[in-house]
Every structure is written in C-alpha cells, then in structure tokens.
Amino acid sequence: MQNIVDFIKKTFNTTEFISLHEPRFIGNEKKYLNESIDSTFVSSVGKFVDEFEKKIAEFTGAKYAVATTNGTSALHISLLLAGVERDDEVITQPLTFIATCNAISYTGATSVFVDVDLDTMGLSPKSLKEFLSENCEIVDERCKNKISGKTIKACVPMHTFGHPCRIDEIKEICDAWHIALVEDAAESLGSYYKERHTGTFGLLGAISFNGNKIITSGGGGCIITNDETLAKKAKHITTTAKIPHRWEYSHDMIGYNYRLPNINAALLVAQLEQLEVFLQNKRVLADEYREFFKNQHVEFATEPDDSRSNYWLNAIILKDRGQRDEFLEISNNNGVMTRPIWTLMNRLEMFKESLCGDLTNATYLEDRVVNIPSSVRV
C-alpha cells in the first residue's frame, strides 16, 4: 500500500498534502469577477448568466440550459418538470451521492433502489428490467409498483465519477414502461456515451459545478434539455415563478429561488474556457494511473465500452473491505487524501424502508472502491 502512496506523491511532484480534487483558476476568473462587480449585477440577472447558459448548452449539445444554484436544485426541478409528485416512486441506484436521493425526497416521492453494473458503477439496465418485470405492471399508461401500489414516475441513473452508464438501454426500458428518464449528470461534464454527451439522453439532465467538480463557481448547477417548453418552465420556477414585469411582483405558482447568481456565472464562463485543457490533463493522469496499477494487481476504474469519460474522480477497486480500510489509513496518514465510495443509500436511516432489488454489485463496490487524488496538474 505504501508504494501506491509514493507513486501518487511522485505523480503530483510534491511532498505536501495532496487533496482529492482541487479547483484550478488559471484563466479569466478574476477579470470576469471584477466585471460582474463593476456592473453591480451580482445576483440572478446579468450577462454572465446568459452567456454561461448559451455556452454550456453548446458544449453539451443540448438545445437549452438553465443555470441553478447547485446540482441538487437542478435535479429537484428536473424531477418536478418530469411530473414527479408526492407519493410517487423514483427508481435510482443505491451507489450514489446523497444529493440524488435528497432531490427525490424534496418532491415528496420515494426512492426505489436497483443494482449497478460493475464496470460502469452506474445503474444497470439489466437490473432495472428485471425489477420492473418482476414487480410492476402498466396500468393506464403508467408504471404501477405491485408491491407498494404506487406509480413509478421517473428513473434517475447517475454517471458515477464521470463514467457513463448504459444510458441508451436504460432509456429504451424507461420508454417501454412509461417512466420519465432524468439523468444525474452531476459528475460527468465532458463525458460522452456513443459520442453523445451525458445528460442529453433523458427528458432532462442535471449537472453540478460544486467546488470539487472539473469546473466550478464555488457552487452552481444547471439543467439541460432539448424540450423548449420544459426549459422555459425551468427558468420560470427557478426564478420564484415571477411573472415578468418592470415593477410589479406577481407569481403564478410555487417557485424556488434557485437561479445562479451572475457573480458565480462569471467564474463559470472563465472556467469553461479552460475545460478542454482540464479534460485532457485529467486523461493524461488517468493513463499514468492505469499503467501503474497494471503492475500492482489493483483494478483501476477505466471508461466503459462506447464511452469517453471525463475521469473526474479516479478510483481503484481493492480486493476486500480489509484492504480498502488499510489503504485509507496509510494514505491519509501520509498526506494523500483518499476516500471510500459512498455508503449505500438504502443503509441510511432516511431510506432504509425503501424498496430494493438485488444489490449484489453495489454491495461489492461499496466494500472495495477508493477514490484517489484526481486534480488537474498545473
């Protein structure tokens, strides 16, 4: 285990503490921040918000983008726009960051967990199909869960650590079962499946720009979609559902104060200018890790077939929980930040009563996966 720590220190060319994933501000960030400040438009209206939405849509290939305060709010609004209501159910994966399930809970719906694939660490189409076939039926063009009697309104796969899941197969299954597909693309900006950007397969996709993501505004998120009506509604309800008027305050529905401030968007516009450089830099790091771990008898998580991953967070898969814990102890004691993959959502107190399919793969990965330093090296 110590030789892995030594290699990471050598790779990052430092004897100092090595973080898991640091932001890099090497472009026009300060210039654009000053422009935002000088304009006095620092809240949710300003040129940088508009520019960012235009540029992120162009980058992902989506027709529309709506900037939000964070990825969780983007996913929350996406679920509402997909028609998820109180007492509905939403299928997702147990191996995910808690924001996925929190957003589902904000709608009043309940999470249902199905297994992941070992190679993608994302929701398994095979497990999804088996769960639906065994437990559900279509009634009046709705997917009814025969166990709970509730409607399964949506499915939220997550592209884990930036590695795309088999999203085309998942979409085909969802379409057949009248389930809305909403992609949690929080971690996968710059990742492609069959040459198509993640987040653009579903009805809507949610992306995060948290401080540990490839590009960041400290927080921030966005909704991407190809549906003009949904995009307009997303912008409306994230802006407190205020009816446009020069001076009157009138609102026509329950809305949310979820719009990204212009001062944060200024950071993101500058960060987008560096995104291709960041992605290439991270791919070089992943290549170095892959070559090293070939000789260590340790599995390194690589992009799945038909995919191009952003390699947001690099991960290794150790032989068991004991070896995992040993490595976490040694690395963190030696100034190299590492962390285990998330505790499965169905083990958490808030979601322990949720329905689950067979979770063999998710349990296997929970015991073995560790993230290792993945920052852009400049």
Side-chain angles (χ1 to χ4, degrees), residues 66-68 73 77 223 233-241 255-259:
V66 178
T68 62
S73 59
I77 296 302
I223 299 164
K233 192 171 182 181
K235 187 170 183 178
H236 182 58
I237 61 178
T238 56
T239 317
T240 67
Y256 301 85
N257 189 17
Y258 279 177
R259 284 289 280 168

Side-chain angles (χ1 to χ4, degrees), residues 78-79 81-84 90-91 152-157 174-175 177-183 202-204:
S78 295
L79 288 164
L81 292 173
V84 177
V90 176
I91 293 178
I152 297 178
K153 194 67 68 69
C155 177
V156 182
C174 287
D175 288 347
W177 283 88
H178 302 278
I179 297 171
L181 176 60
V182 176
E183 289 179 74
L203 187 63
L204 306 112

Side-chain angles (χ1 to χ4, degrees), residues 141-289:
E141 296 190 341
R142 288 179 174 240
C143 179
K144 287 289 185 180
N145 187 330
K146 292 185 289 186
I147 300 173
S148 65
K150 295 183 178 181
T151 298
I152 297 178
K153 194 67 68 69
C155 177
V156 182
M158 200 269 283
H159 302 289
T160 306
F161 305 144
H163 298 302
C165 59
R166 293 179 173 84
I167 193 65
D168 57 343
E169 296 179 40
I170 293 170
K171 176 173 169 47
E172 183 177 348
I173 296 167
C174 287
D175 288 347
W177 283 88
H178 302 278
I179 297 171
L181 176 60
V182 176
E183 289 179 74
D184 186 342
E187 302 176 355
S188 61
L189 179 65
S191 295
Y192 296 83
Y193 183 71
K194 295 183 177 178
E195 301 184 351
R196 184 171 168 183
H197 198 284
T198 55
T200 64
F201 290 80
L203 187 63
L204 306 112
I207 302 175
S208 171
F209 307 108
N210 185 41
N212 66 350
K213 298 301 191 294
I214 290 182
I215 65 171
T216 184
S217 53
C222 76
I223 299 164
I224 56 175
T225 183
N226 291 321
D227 189 306
E228 182 179 10
T229 300
L230 290 179
K232 288 180 177 178
K233 192 171 182 181
K235 187 170 183 178
H236 182 58
I237 61 178
T238 56
T239 317
T240 67
K242 182 181 181 296
I243 298 172
H245 193 280
R246 284 189 299 163
W247 58 79
E248 289 186 355
Y249 284 87
S250 183
H251 308 258
D252 60 0
M253 63 187 298
I254 298 295
Y256 301 85
N257 189 17
Y258 279 177
R259 284 289 280 168
L260 182 72
N262 193 52
I263 196 166
N264 296 91
L267 274 173
L268 282 174
V269 170
Q271 289 267 283
L272 268 176
E273 294 172 353
Q274 302 294 323
L275 179 54
E276 292 290 359
V277 173
F278 291 171
L279 289 169
Q280 182 57 38
N281 189 294
K282 292 173 73 61
R283 180 161 286 272
V284 171
L285 174 61
D287 287 343
E288 292 178 19
Y289 274 144

Side-chain angles (χ1 to χ4, degrees), residues 116-127:
V116 298
D117 285 326
L118 288 175
D119 59 341
T120 70
M121 293 183 281
L123 193 140
S124 166
K126 180 176 180 290
S127 294

